[in-house]
Amino acid sequence: MKNFVLLCCIGIVVFALYYTNKTYEKVQLELPSLHSQNALLLNTQGEVLFEKNADAIIYPASLTKIMTAVVAIELTEDLQKQTIVEPQTIATYTAQNASMAGFHAGDFVTIEDLLYGTLLASGADATGTLAEAIAGSEEKFVTYMNNKAQEIGMNDTHFVNTSGLHDEAHVSSVRDISKLLRYALENPTFYHIFTSKSYTTHVPNELIITNSLFTKMPGLDGPILGGKTGYTPEAGLCLASIIEKEGKSFLFITTNAPSDVRTPPPHIEDALTAYNAL
């Protein structure tokens, strides 16, 4: 009888410790000093550790390019397939003052080149060329993007273009972006590009594409493994990133940080704040 009681007591203690630890893991952190108006921090299992206006409708700016890259990867059998950068593509995005990867009209490029130009340099020249090469037009490619958004449960999201240039109907939420990023990172090709610091093409001349996130950070080696930045005046500074601490990975998505000249910029400073709080 004593042994039975002892075993019951041990079982209760073990259960209590297990429950306490599991609860602790899910306790939300406090990040009171964030610059971003919208934020979501979660682990790779999808458990939310911190959120701030996570379901508010926002403009995703260049975080859009995460979806552009995912759809392009899934619709392409051969990433070495070549296409050409059309003069009209360059002219269209140059006229809109969009960020560019550095491709020129007439360049022969691979789909892989364009993916690096999309995720690392945030180039609208890359997204526009991808859309034309894969779907025949940006409009048709955007249909694929919206279909994928519905497939993975991004119910607050509607895409109008592949680049994230501002449009009143081009909307999302940081919770939806977190769903997208979790989905995208499961793809080995996407993960490799997303976490790369630079890439060199031959199109036909050598083009070195650097990750715009890491050029804004104090040092290349840090807690942020990879990420996609974004900015429009309407969206503010945006960042979707993967952070590693003590061997564990976390996703941190923010939008609507103020634009200023501080180093690191406010959205990256927020990511470092989240890292320090983990």
Side-chain angles (χ1 to χ4, degrees):
M1 184 65 180
K2 290 182 179 180
N3 288 339
F4 175 79
V5 172
L6 179 60
L7 286 173
C8 287
C9 290
I10 292 172
I12 291 171
V13 171
V14 169
F15 176 81
L17 288 173
Y18 174 82
Y19 180 81
T20 300
N21 287 337
K22 294 298 285 183
T23 302
Y24 175 76
E25 289 175 3
K26 296 181 181 180
V27 167
Q28 291 207 351
L29 303 175
E30 292 187 8
L31 304 176
S33 60
L34 292 184
H35 304 287
S36 301
Q37 294 302 307
N38 313 91
L40 188 67
L41 175 66
L42 62 160
N43 60 25
T44 51
Q45 288 73 48
E47 296 171 341
V48 174
L49 305 179
F50 173 83
E51 61 180 280
K52 176 183 178 182
N53 301 324
D55 296 305
I57 299 301
I58 54 92
Y59 300 118
S62 285
L63 302 189
T64 299
K65 295 182 176 85
I66 298 172
M67 179 62 87
T68 304
V70 167
V71 170
I73 290 169
E74 293 185 348
L75 291 179
T76 304
E77 294 183 1
D78 180 11
L79 296 183
Q80 300 309 310
K81 175 185 175 182
Q82 285 196 332
T83 188
I84 191 170
V85 180
E86 298 290 346
Q88 185 58 39
T89 300
I90 300 298
T92 296
Y93 291 112
T94 300
Q96 297 179 75
N97 198 31
S99 60
M100 307 288 268
F103 298 110
H104 297 97
D107 280 345
F108 282 95
V109 294
T110 65
I111 299 299
E112 183 179 48
D113 293 336
L114 295 171
L115 288 169
Y116 277 94
T118 294
L119 288 175
L120 269 60
S122 200
D125 49 349
T127 65
T129 304
L130 276 174
E132 291 285 343
I134 292 172
S137 70
E138 183 175 38
E139 182 180 11
K140 187 173 181 181
F141 192 93
V142 168
T143 299
Y144 293 136
M145 292 169 64
N146 283 319
N147 289 343
K148 179 60 67 175
Q150 289 301 305
E151 178 186 322
I152 61 180
M154 298 174 66
N155 298 321
D156 295 324
T157 298
H158 181 258
F159 296 113
V160 174
N161 56 61
T162 59
S163 62
L165 287 170
H166 181 68
D167 187 294
E168 290 294 328
H170 191 96
V171 296
S172 190
S173 67
V174 294
R175 197 179 305 279
D176 271 10
I177 299 297
S178 76
K179 294 176 184 178
L180 171 59
L181 186 57
R182 284 187 67 209
Y183 175 85
L185 289 170
E186 292 176 357
N187 185 293
T189 298
F190 180 93
Y191 184 94
H192 179 76
I193 298 172
F194 192 75
T195 55
S196 296
K197 293 181 172 62
S198 66
Y199 173 79
T200 302
T201 73
H202 302 278
V203 293
N205 300 314
E206 183 178 282
L207 174 65
I208 300 175
I209 299 175
T210 56
N211 192 317
S212 59
L213 167 64
F214 294 111
T215 60
K216 297 179 175 71
M217 291 176 60
L220 289 179
D221 295 322
I224 303 178
L225 296 184
K228 181 74 200 72
T229 58
Y231 173 77
T232 65
E234 297 82 3
L237 289 168
C238 308
L239 177 62
S241 58
I242 179 169
I243 302 170
E244 185 176 66
K245 187 166 188 177
E246 297 176 356
K248 297 180 180 179
S249 296
F250 304 87
L251 308 184
F252 191 50
I253 298 91
T254 57
T255 64
N256 273 311
S259 176
D260 58 36
V261 295
R262 77 180 73 188
T263 302
H267 55 332
I268 295 176
E269 190 173 304
D270 284 350
L272 297 176
T273 296
Y275 170 80
N276 290 328
L278 287 169

